[in-house]
Amino acid sequence: EGVFFSTLEEANAPSIVEVTFVDKDEEVIEKQFVKKGQYAIPPVPPIYDGLAFCGWDHDIYNITENITIKATYTTGTNSYVGKKFAILGDSISTYPYPTADVNDVNQTWWMQSINQLGGRLFVNNSYSGSCVSTGGSSATTNDARLAQLKIGQEEPDVIIIYMGSNDCASAYIGVDSFQSSYKIMMEKIKRLCQNSEIIVCTLPTTTFYNKQDQASYNQVI
């Protein structure tokens, strides 16, 4: 009772698998050995004139066997390959996600975005329940939190801001207060990370607030 036995074949099965990343011409970029069922860390994909990297042709998580993963491209440009991304957000951008429906970091929206762009995660500065406007982890009033967008003196190349859902759902934060706070937050971030590109995300549709409030807050963003 409580003791489980493996077959000889199971006991001797390799627990490490090989992941080979290749470019569009099947040339090897990098090989990695990962524990079975875990994820690989994709390398920076090659850059080609006139082509935009648009992701890998296979999931990089829950890898259970030796596999070759190929870089894919489309006509165009992608200026984010190799860049360092910082995320500023609330529970939507945390990991593990509170609902526990995401069991690998590469399933989160932000890692999917970074991997598809060929970027690198620099820092995830996300706090569950946090607002732009108020509270201890507010992105406006908590300068110590904003300072964590940097590592030492190193800045991210790109900052993605996905905040405001908790403000919109709050009975204590009005749209005017949100607008004032969002402006202050942006000004502080621009002073702190002067060379970073900033991308702001509008609010998702949810049952926590109505569509009219969502539209008003999105207009502020």
Side-chain angles (χ1 to χ4, degrees):
E1 294 180 7
V3 177
F4 297 88
F5 293 92
S6 296
T7 65
L8 187 61
E9 290 75 16
E10 290 172 335
N12 288 323
S15 59
I16 301 296
V17 295
E18 184 179 50
V19 183
T20 304
F21 289 93
V22 300
D23 64 15
K24 67 180 182 63
D25 300 315
E26 308 286 346
E27 295 291 329
V28 175
I29 305 171
E30 183 175 300
K31 289 190 176 185
Q32 296 178 18
F33 294 93
V34 303
K35 185 179 290 187
K36 185 178 291 187
Q38 298 299 307
Y39 63 87
I41 299 174
V44 175
I47 298 174
Y48 303 98
D49 290 338
L51 294 178
F53 174 77
C54 56
W56 302 94
D57 71 348
H58 191 279
D59 289 336
I60 62 169
Y61 58 89
N62 192 29
I63 298 174
T64 58
E65 59 186 0
N66 295 343
I67 190 172
T68 296
I69 302 178
K70 184 177 181 179
T72 63
Y73 295 81
T74 187
T75 302
T77 59
N78 175 358
S79 61
Y80 296 105
V81 171
K83 288 193 173 180
K84 301 169 296 186
F85 284 75
I87 312 298
L88 180 64
D90 48 36
S91 63
I92 296 173
S93 305
T94 56
Y95 177 77
Y97 190 69
T99 60
D101 57 353
V102 173
N103 53 32
D104 189 285
V105 68
N106 292 287
Q107 292 177 296
T108 62
W109 73 264
W110 39 277
M111 277 307 298
Q112 288 186 57
S113 301
I114 292 171
N115 289 337
Q116 188 165 341
L117 291 168
R120 283 283 182 267
L121 176 64
F122 183 68
V123 64
N124 187 328
N125 188 329
S126 299
Y127 290 71
S128 181
S130 63
C131 296
V132 174
S133 301
T134 62
S137 58
S138 162
T140 299
T141 60
N142 191 332
D143 291 343
R145 176 185 177 182
L146 292 183
Q148 293 175 10
L149 289 171
K150 298 172 66 174
I151 299 178
Q153 296 303 309
E154 187 178 2
E155 299 179 9
D157 297 308
V158 183
I159 300 172
I160 299 179
I161 302 174
Y162 196 5
M163 293 197 70
S165 292
N166 292 318
D167 300 77
C168 188
S170 174
Y172 306 101
I173 302 172
V175 68
D176 291 339
S177 175
F178 178 73
Q179 180 167 342
S180 175
S181 296
Y182 208 95
K183 182 176 184 293
I184 293 171
M185 176 184 70
M186 293 294 293
E187 290 172 345
K188 287 185 175 182
I189 293 173
K190 287 180 178 180
R191 286 196 298 269
L192 180 69
C193 302
Q194 297 182 15
N195 300 309
S196 301
E197 176 182 355
I198 300 174
I199 298 172
V200 296
C201 302
T202 52
L203 305 187
T205 299
T206 174
T207 56
F208 291 119
Y209 42 72
N210 59 53
K211 290 185 177 180
Q212 183 177 349
D213 287 342
Q214 178 190 15
S216 298
Y217 279 70
N218 282 342
Q219 183 61 43
V220 168
I221 296 171

